[in-house]
Amino acid sequence: FLRLTRGSYQIADSDFPGTIHQRTETALLVANLQRMALFGGSLSYGLGYGLQTLTVDNTAKAPGSDPAFLFAPWQAYHGFTLLGGYRQAIAGPFGLAFDVEAVPYAFTNFGDQRLSLPWLTTFRLAPRATLWNDRAAIGYFYERAIGGDFNRETSGVLATVSMVGF
Protein backbone atom coordinates (compact mmCIF):
# COMPACT_ATOMS: atom_id res chain seq x y z
CA PHE A 1 0.00 0.00 0.00
CA LEU A 2 1.43 3.36 -1.03
CA ARG A 3 -0.30 6.72 -0.52
CA LEU A 4 0.90 10.15 -1.58
CA THR A 5 -1.19 13.22 -0.69
CA ARG A 6 -0.77 16.96 -1.04
CA GLY A 7 -2.86 19.75 0.39
CA SER A 8 -2.71 23.44 1.17
CA TYR A 9 -4.41 25.73 3.65
CA GLN A 10 -3.91 29.05 5.41
CA ILE A 11 -4.39 30.09 9.00
CA ALA A 12 -4.62 33.48 10.68
CA ASP A 13 -2.31 33.95 13.67
CA SER A 14 -4.24 35.26 16.67
CA ASP A 15 -0.97 35.97 18.53
CA PHE A 16 0.26 38.26 15.74
CA PRO A 17 -2.81 40.05 14.25
CA GLY A 18 -2.72 40.49 10.49
CA THR A 19 -0.28 37.59 9.95
CA ILE A 20 -1.39 34.79 7.62
CA HIS A 21 0.48 31.49 7.41
CA GLN A 22 0.10 29.65 4.08
CA ARG A 23 1.02 25.98 4.55
CA THR A 24 1.50 23.25 1.99
CA GLU A 25 1.52 19.66 3.25
CA THR A 26 2.87 16.62 1.46
CA ALA A 27 2.49 13.17 3.00
CA LEU A 28 3.85 9.77 1.98
CA LEU A 29 2.76 6.53 3.63
CA VAL A 30 4.04 3.03 2.89
CA ALA A 31 2.17 0.23 4.68
CA ASN A 32 1.41 -3.47 4.70
CA LEU A 33 -2.32 -4.17 5.15
CA GLN A 34 -4.10 -7.42 5.95
CA ARG A 35 -7.72 -7.77 4.81
CA MET A 36 -10.50 -10.08 5.90
CA ALA A 37 -14.22 -10.42 5.25
CA LEU A 38 -16.42 -9.25 8.12
CA PHE A 39 -20.23 -8.70 8.16
CA GLY A 40 -20.37 -8.67 4.36
CA GLY A 41 -17.67 -5.99 4.14
CA SER A 42 -13.90 -5.83 4.26
CA LEU A 43 -11.88 -5.13 7.42
CA SER A 44 -8.25 -4.09 7.04
CA TYR A 45 -5.46 -3.47 9.53
CA GLY A 46 -1.75 -2.98 9.24
CA LEU A 47 1.47 -1.19 10.00
CA GLY A 48 3.32 1.39 7.95
CA TYR A 49 5.79 4.22 8.07
CA GLY A 50 4.74 7.74 7.17
CA LEU A 51 6.43 11.06 6.43
CA GLN A 52 4.61 14.40 6.46
CA THR A 53 6.33 17.62 5.42
CA LEU A 54 5.03 21.18 5.64
CA THR A 55 6.41 24.21 3.89
CA VAL A 56 5.31 27.56 5.24
CA ASP A 57 5.01 30.98 3.65
CA ASN A 58 4.18 33.84 6.05
CA THR A 59 2.93 37.38 5.41
CA ALA A 60 5.21 38.62 8.20
CA LYS A 61 8.51 37.71 9.84
CA ALA A 62 8.67 36.27 13.34
CA PRO A 63 8.88 39.18 15.77
CA GLY A 64 12.06 39.38 17.84
CA SER A 65 14.43 36.46 18.16
CA ASP A 66 12.03 34.02 19.82
CA PRO A 67 11.35 30.87 17.79
CA ALA A 68 7.72 30.18 16.87
CA PHE A 69 6.25 26.99 15.36
CA LEU A 70 4.02 28.87 12.93
CA PHE A 71 6.97 30.84 11.53
CA ALA A 72 9.30 27.86 10.93
CA PRO A 73 10.00 27.69 7.15
CA TRP A 74 9.48 23.93 7.07
CA GLN A 75 8.46 21.07 9.36
CA ALA A 76 8.72 17.30 9.01
CA TYR A 77 7.09 14.55 11.05
CA HIS A 78 7.73 10.85 10.53
CA GLY A 79 7.06 7.61 12.38
CA PHE A 80 5.41 4.21 12.43
CA THR A 81 1.69 4.29 11.63
CA LEU A 82 -1.03 1.93 12.81
CA LEU A 83 -3.88 1.60 10.30
CA GLY A 84 -7.38 0.18 10.37
CA GLY A 85 -10.40 0.43 8.12
CA TYR A 86 -13.73 -1.03 7.11
CA ARG A 87 -15.41 -0.96 3.70
CA GLN A 88 -18.99 -1.99 2.98
CA ALA A 89 -20.77 -2.17 -0.39
CA ILE A 90 -24.25 -0.59 -0.24
CA ALA A 91 -25.83 -0.92 -3.69
CA GLY A 92 -24.24 -1.44 -7.08
CA PRO A 93 -21.03 0.61 -7.31
CA PHE A 94 -21.80 2.62 -4.14
CA GLY A 95 -20.34 1.93 -0.72
CA LEU A 96 -19.12 3.34 2.58
CA ALA A 97 -15.65 3.34 4.13
CA PHE A 98 -14.17 4.33 7.46
CA ASP A 99 -10.42 4.58 8.12
CA VAL A 100 -8.47 5.15 11.33
CA GLU A 101 -4.77 5.98 11.56
CA ALA A 102 -2.56 6.56 14.58
CA VAL A 103 1.07 7.53 14.92
CA PRO A 104 1.90 6.76 18.56
CA TYR A 105 5.30 8.50 18.44
CA ALA A 106 6.48 10.73 15.60
CA PHE A 107 9.96 12.11 15.15
CA THR A 108 10.00 15.85 14.49
CA ASN A 109 12.32 18.14 12.55
CA PHE A 110 11.98 21.89 12.03
CA GLY A 111 13.53 24.49 9.72
CA ASP A 112 14.34 26.56 12.83
CA GLN A 113 16.83 24.56 14.91
CA ARG A 114 15.77 26.40 18.09
CA LEU A 115 12.44 24.54 17.97
CA SER A 116 11.88 21.05 19.28
CA LEU A 117 9.08 18.80 20.50
CA PRO A 118 9.76 16.10 23.10
CA TRP A 119 7.18 13.85 21.40
CA LEU A 120 4.30 14.02 18.97
CA THR A 121 1.27 11.75 18.62
CA THR A 122 -1.29 11.95 15.82
CA PHE A 123 -4.71 10.39 15.29
CA ARG A 124 -6.85 10.55 12.14
CA LEU A 125 -10.44 9.50 11.28
CA ALA A 126 -11.81 9.48 7.72
CA PRO A 127 -15.38 8.35 6.94
CA ARG A 128 -16.46 8.60 3.29
CA ALA A 129 -18.86 7.49 0.58
CA THR A 130 -17.16 5.42 -2.11
CA LEU A 131 -17.71 4.55 -5.76
CA TRP A 132 -16.54 1.35 -7.46
CA ASN A 133 -14.88 -0.25 -4.44
CA ASP A 134 -13.06 2.90 -3.26
CA ARG A 135 -11.77 3.88 -6.72
CA ALA A 136 -13.26 7.32 -6.06
CA ALA A 137 -14.55 8.69 -2.77
CA ILE A 138 -15.73 11.82 -1.03
CA GLY A 139 -15.97 12.27 2.70
CA TYR A 140 -14.56 14.03 5.72
CA PHE A 141 -11.36 13.78 7.75
CA TYR A 142 -10.42 14.82 11.25
CA GLU A 143 -6.82 14.79 12.48
CA ARG A 144 -5.39 15.73 15.85
CA ALA A 145 -1.70 16.07 16.69
CA ILE A 146 -0.47 16.64 20.23
CA GLY A 147 2.97 16.82 21.78
CA GLY A 148 4.32 18.84 24.69
CA ASP A 149 2.75 22.29 24.31
CA PHE A 150 1.83 21.59 20.67
CA ASN A 151 -1.84 20.89 19.87
CA ARG A 152 -3.20 20.95 16.30
CA GLU A 153 -6.58 19.94 14.93
CA THR A 154 -7.34 19.84 11.23
CA SER A 155 -10.47 18.71 9.44
CA GLY A 156 -12.16 19.11 6.12
CA VAL A 157 -13.55 17.56 2.97
CA LEU A 158 -11.63 14.59 1.64
CA ALA A 159 -11.83 13.62 -2.03
CA THR A 160 -9.78 10.70 -3.34
CA VAL A 161 -9.20 8.95 -6.67
CA SER A 162 -7.31 5.66 -6.86
CA MET A 163 -4.79 5.48 -9.70
CA VAL A 164 -4.70 1.67 -9.72
CA GLY A 165 -7.27 -0.98 -10.49
CA PHE A 166 -9.19 0.68 -13.34
Side-chain angles (χ1 to χ4, degrees), residues 117-132:
L117 282 174
W119 55 274
L120 183 71
T121 298
T122 64
F123 182 75
R124 179 183 173 103
L125 300 172
R128 62 193 182 280
T130 66
L131 193 59
W132 294 299

Side-chain angles (χ1 to χ4, degrees), residues 89-102:
I90 300 298
F94 301 101
L96 296 174
F98 184 81
D99 288 327
V100 177
E101 295 178 16

Side-chain angles (χ1 to χ4, degrees), residues 25-112:
E25 292 188 19
T26 303
L28 174 66
L29 176 65
V30 177
N32 181 28
L33 292 177
Q34 300 296 317
R35 294 188 191 271
M36 69 173 83
L38 182 68
F39 304 120
S42 173
L43 176 70
S44 62
Y45 60 92
L47 178 67
Y49 198 86
L51 167 67
Q52 181 177 13
T53 62
L54 289 91
T55 56
V56 181
D57 186 26
N58 303 303
T59 59
K61 298 292 180 195
S65 61
D66 291 336
F69 283 108
L70 293 177
F71 287 95
W74 60 268
Q75 301 170 19
Y77 309 99
H78 55 98
F80 285 100
T81 305
L82 304 171
L83 302 122
Y86 185 75
R87 284 154 181 70
Q88 176 70 51
I90 300 298
F94 301 101
L96 296 174
F98 184 81
D99 288 327
V100 177
E101 295 178 16
V103 180
Y105 183 91
F107 301 95
T108 60
N109 304 95
F110 298 98
D112 186 337

